[in-house]
Amino acid sequence: MRALGLSAAGLAVSGPLSASGRLLVVGGTPDPRDPEVPNEEVARILTRLFGDRPIRRGHLSLDMPAVAEDGRIVPVIIESDLPMTAERYVKAVHLIVDYNPDPHLAAYHLTPAIGQVAIQSRIKMKRTTWVRAILETSTGEVWADYAHVNVSLNGCG
Amino acid sequence: MTIGDARIRIPDRIAKGDLITVNAIVSHPMDTGFFRTAGGQPIPAYFIKDVVVTYGDEQVARFEWTSGVSKDPIVSFTLRADTEAPLTMVWTDSKGGVYKQSVNVAFAAA
């Protein structure tokens, strides 16, 4: 899925720490650690949401447990260091769970009044998979982070 | 809690301009449609699909959910407390149920 810009060779990763202490990649080069797009359904979702814009890792952190014992309740924390001003803000964050029955799990549409991207929720996961958090700014930039979650108990039936 | 009971929590003391954290929960089964009862009957999909957040007269956020959000959905997000006004959330489910809750953002006396 090189056309989607998800798996091209990338440069070395460096960048400042986010509020949660995780590494944020500000440079935004495609990263070899980015997950492959697993199937047509996820490819369609990504194309519908972001067209042919590159989906680069950076400016976003997706915090999830590496192991989720109960797939019915998996905590999610999404944070971004991008500004929330009238001129430039994060207008949406999409949460995509590759191997869930309905992969496009949630969309959070935001405005500058939110002040900062710091969203927490709890989701269901069917099985071990990559989870994608992808944001879109009001100026059309697309930034992503990924988390691989091992699911012990199927939470989707 | 019965379906649609909702709570919104914001800090007790807020000063004008604070970035506050809003925690919200609504009681809902969030059925996926993939489970069956003990008797083998399918449980149809039934979930919150839309959440609208209004602060004063302004819609400040909207969340689109699927049945992949956990039962009794929680969400937390931030808000720039610029004005004294109600913060209202409206949850709409896949059967047309509409559930509303509000809190008042008021500034603590200096």
Side-chain angles (χ1 to χ4, degrees):
Chain A
M1 287 294 157
R2 283 175 191 279
L4 293 166
L6 286 171
S7 63
L11 300 176
V13 173
S14 65
L17 293 173
S18 74
S20 63
R22 295 192 60 209
L23 196 68
L24 286 178
V25 182
V26 173
T29 32
D31 190 307
R33 296 174 305 159
D34 289 354
E36 295 284 338
V37 174
N39 55 45
E40 280 301 307
E41 187 175 14
V42 172
R44 265 198 307 276
I45 291 165
L46 295 176
T47 303
R48 178 171 54 79
L49 292 173
F50 309 112
D52 57 5
R53 285 175 287 175
I55 300 172
R56 294 172 296 178
R57 196 188 279 250
H59 290 298
L60 186 64
S61 100
L62 171 61
D63 252 337
M64 296 188 68
V67 177
E69 308 232 323
D70 184 349
R72 293 173 300 185
I73 305 173
V74 187
V76 180
I77 304 175
I78 300 168
E79 294 177 329
S80 171
D81 63 353
L82 290 174
M84 294 295 278
T85 62
E87 296 74 36
R88 181 179 180 227
Y89 61 94
V90 175
K91 70 173 188 178
V93 180
H94 298 272
L95 193 62
I96 297 161
V97 182
D98 281 4
Y99 283 112
N100 262 19
D102 193 353
H104 190 191
L105 193 145
Y108 302 87
H109 302 278
L110 309 175
T111 66
I114 290 298
Q116 177 186 323
V117 177
I119 298 164
Q120 299 193 29
S121 189
R122 294 188 303 216
I123 67 167
K124 299 172 199 169
M125 293 185 64
K126 185 178 175 70
R127 67 173 174 94
T128 298
T129 181
W130 283 97
V131 180
R132 302 161 194 270
I134 310 178
L135 69 77
E136 181 176 15
T137 68
S138 58
T139 53
E141 294 167 50
V142 178
W143 296 98
D145 194 18
Y146 308 99
H148 191 266
V149 182
N150 278 284
V151 177
S152 308
L153 174 69
N154 172 8
C156 291
Chain B
M1 285 170 66
T2 56
I3 290 175
D5 282 355
R7 292 197 303 269
I8 304 174
R9 202 175 75 232
I10 59 174
D12 289 335
R13 295 181 61 84
I14 300 170
K16 184 176 170 64
D18 279 356
L19 188 66
I20 63 170
T21 297
V22 180
N23 287 288
I25 183 168
V26 61
S27 179
H28 204 280
M30 300 299 282
D31 291 320
T32 58
F34 305 123
F35 284 104
R36 289 175 180 271
T37 64
Q41 292 299 310
I43 303 171
Y46 178 40
F47 57 93
I48 303 279
K49 58 175 191 168
D50 186 76
V51 188
V52 173
V53 184
T54 306
Y55 178 39
D57 298 327
E58 187 190 356
Q59 181 179 307
V60 295
R62 187 168 67 83
F63 311 140
E64 292 177 84
W65 285 351
T66 63
S67 62
V69 176
S70 300
K71 174 180 155 74
D72 300 333
I74 61 165
V75 61
S76 119
F77 54 93
T78 55
L79 181 73
R80 182 69 67 190
D82 277 337
T83 179
E84 295 193 306
L87 175 70
T88 302
M89 295 180 66
V90 177
W91 293 261
T92 302
D93 72 25
S94 57
K95 291 181 182 170
V98 178
Y99 317 105
K100 183 173 174 179
Q101 188 58 270
S102 283
V103 290
N104 215 30
V105 176
F107 301 141

